[in-house]
């Protein structure tokens, strides 16, 4: 219980620090971001006093004391109030994130899980069959991993999408057919087809790291005394592979997977931009291009909270998988 208590306390303090930094950093910037934002908002028409107060609360410049602003900011966060977007005025930041989040979670999340599963299973098998022709997959996947994300995406767009016409190359659905995706079979199929190339980009770019890491851990694990003992007892090779070797070799990968999965919310920025995919990554690029401070803050905060939450869950799961962690953590 001490292990879990320390974990809860650590992540609670870290979350408070992240929220506090998100509040204080704009107030430490040179100039007045609030005045810049209000000037941009004024170009679109009159700005209500409520919007002015909200912007100054988010970015500084309010007449209230800093301490009062801080607690009002915390209270607004609990109510889901992240401010008003400049680039999508007068849309609230939370509404924009809420609309983009499912696209990123479904695409990047599923692709990351598939990449992890393929890499772990493939690495375990190659490590088990070390010294055979299966080792030839390692240089190939390493080469794919070394190709820049955007370059691989562009290659897929040109050859697979434009030359062969096997999959759509832009957006999350057929905008000429549907204004918005629908809960119908043709619409679901259409969304799936638009996700094929972005998902393939993610899998091809990331599977090599999992494959190499798992293969090396398998080779190291297979030389351990308990593996030799299990083989000497005459246990079936399949049981030695999955019960003894894979289970122990995969532990470091699971820890890394928690961190990787946590960054799903931030999306694959370049990939979503190349495919014009309507996820959080593209939303972040839009915010940066338009100097939309409130939208950037909202995405940063969401990413930080998600990373902390995912690491916390993985720490708890890791404590169950490997009891040694609870004694040394």
């Amino acid at each position: 219980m001490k292990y879990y208590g320390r974990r809860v306390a650590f992540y609670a303090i870290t979350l408070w620090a992240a929220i506090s930094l998100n509040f204080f950093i704009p107030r430490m910037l040179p100039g007045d971001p609030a005045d810049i934002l209000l000037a941009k908002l004024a170009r679109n028409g009159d700005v209500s006093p409520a919007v002015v107060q909200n912007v100054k609360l988010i970015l500084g410049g309010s007449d209230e004391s800093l301490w009062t602003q801080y607690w009002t900011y915390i209270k607004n966060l609990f109510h889901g109030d992240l401010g008003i977007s400049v680039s999508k005025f007068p849309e609230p930041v939370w509404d924009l994130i809420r609309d983009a989040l499912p696209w990123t979670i479904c695409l990047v999340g599923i692709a990351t899980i598939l990449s992890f599963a393929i890499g772990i299973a493939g690495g375990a098998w190659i490590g088990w069959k070390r010294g055979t022709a299966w080792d030839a997959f390692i240089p190939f996947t390493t080469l794919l991993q070394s190709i820049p994300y955007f370059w691989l995406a562009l290659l897929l767009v040109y050859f697979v999408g434009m030359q062969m016409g096997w999959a759509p190359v832009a957006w999350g659905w057929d905008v000429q057919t549907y204004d918005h995706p629908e809960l119908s079979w043709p619409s679901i199929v259409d969304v799936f087809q638009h996700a094929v190339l972005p998902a393939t980009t993610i899998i091809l770019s990331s599977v090599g790291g999992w494959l190499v890491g798992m293969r090396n851990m398998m080779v190291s694990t297979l030389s351990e005394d308990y593996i030799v003992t299990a083989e000497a007892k005459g246990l079936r090779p399949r049981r030695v592979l999955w019960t003894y070797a894979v289970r122990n070799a995969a532990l470091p990968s699971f820890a890394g997977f928690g961190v990787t999965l946590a960054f799903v919310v931030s999306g694959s920025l370049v990939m979503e931009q190349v495919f014009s995919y309507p996820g959080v990554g593209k939303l972040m690029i839009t915010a940066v291009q338009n100097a939309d401070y409130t939208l950037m803050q909202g995405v940063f905060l969401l990413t930080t909270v998600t990373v902390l939450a995912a690491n916390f869950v993985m720490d708890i799961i890791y404590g169950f998988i490997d009891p040694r962690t609870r004694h040394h953590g």
Side-chain angles (χ1 to χ4, degrees):
M1 291 302 295
K2 289 183 178 180
Y3 169 79
Y4 298 113
R6 286 195 295 267
R7 295 291 88 190
V8 170
F10 170 78
Y11 283 106
I13 294 173
T14 306
L15 176 61
W16 167 76
I19 292 175
S20 299
L21 285 174
N22 208 45
F23 172 81
F24 286 110
I25 284 178
R27 289 157 178 78
M28 298 166 59
L29 294 175
D32 193 337
D35 288 342
I36 297 174
L37 181 55
L38 289 172
K40 290 185 177 182
L41 290 176
R43 297 173 189 170
N44 298 318
D46 295 334
V47 182
S48 68
V51 172
V52 173
Q53 179 64 21
N54 190 286
V55 169
K56 289 187 175 182
L57 177 63
I58 295 294
L59 298 177
S62 174
D63 295 331
E64 298 177 338
S65 67
L66 190 63
W67 187 251
T68 302
Q69 292 180 51
Y70 177 73
W71 284 112
T72 305
Y73 170 76
I74 297 294
K75 182 182 68 175
N76 287 346
L77 285 183
F78 279 102
H79 288 87
D81 184 1
L82 299 177
I84 303 296
S85 169
V86 177
S87 55
K88 304 289 185 180
F89 183 81
E91 289 287 329
V93 168
W94 173 246
D95 288 353
L96 295 173
I97 294 176
R98 183 190 59 196
D99 292 340
L101 194 57
W103 292 96
T104 295
I105 290 178
C106 290
L107 172 67
V108 187
I110 293 175
T112 301
I113 292 172
L114 286 175
S115 174
F116 175 77
I118 294 170
I120 294 301
W125 180 254
I126 294 173
W128 180 255
K129 297 291 185 178
R130 60 197 182 282
T132 66
W134 290 100
D135 281 336
F137 280 95
I138 299 298
F140 176 70
T141 56
T142 303
L143 174 63
L144 288 176
Q145 188 180 17
S146 65
I147 298 176
Y149 234 66
F150 71 92
W151 183 245
L152 182 59
L154 291 174
L155 289 177
L156 290 175
V157 166
Y158 180 74
F159 289 106
V160 180
M162 299 177 65
Q163 295 298 315
M164 300 178 183
W166 287 354
V169 298
W171 209 241
W173 68 91
D174 187 353
V175 294
Q176 296 180 350
T177 304
Y178 307 98
D179 291 334
H180 297 283
E182 304 171 354
L183 288 177
S184 63
W185 182 248
S187 180
I188 293 173
V189 172
D190 179 61
V191 170
F192 174 80
Q193 290 173 341
H194 280 77
V196 168
L197 289 185
T200 303
T201 303
I202 296 172
I203 293 173
L204 291 179
S205 298
S206 58
V207 71
W210 300 118
L211 196 72
V212 172
M214 185 62 184
R215 189 261 182 194
N216 293 339
M217 285 302 303
M218 277 291 293
V219 172
S220 177
T221 302
L222 290 173
S223 63
E224 296 289 341
D225 292 340
Y226 59 85
I227 299 293
V228 177
T229 302
E231 292 175 335
K233 288 182 177 180
L235 297 180
R236 290 179 300 174
R238 180 173 298 180
R239 183 179 178 185
V240 175
L241 171 63
W242 296 108
T243 305
Y244 293 90
V246 174
R247 181 178 179 181
N248 289 280
L251 287 176
S253 296
F254 273 103
F257 177 66
V259 177
T260 302
L261 196 61
F263 283 98
V264 163
V265 171
S266 64
S268 301
L269 297 179
V270 177
M271 183 276 299
E272 290 189 2
Q273 183 69 7
V274 170
F275 292 101
S276 296
Y277 202 79
V280 176
K282 193 172 188 306
L283 190 65
M284 170 59 76
I285 292 178
T286 300
V288 173
Q289 290 174 339
N290 293 278
D292 193 339
Y293 292 106
T294 50
L295 185 54
M296 281 189 282
Q297 272 190 283
V299 176
F300 285 148
L301 182 61
L302 179 68
T303 302
T304 302
V305 171
T306 306
V307 169
L308 291 176
N311 277 278
F312 174 71
V313 171
M314 288 307 300
D315 274 354
I316 300 301
I317 295 175
Y318 207 79
F320 284 106
I321 295 176
D322 188 359
R324 293 173 297 181
T325 307
R326 298 197 296 268
H327 299 295
H328 298 286

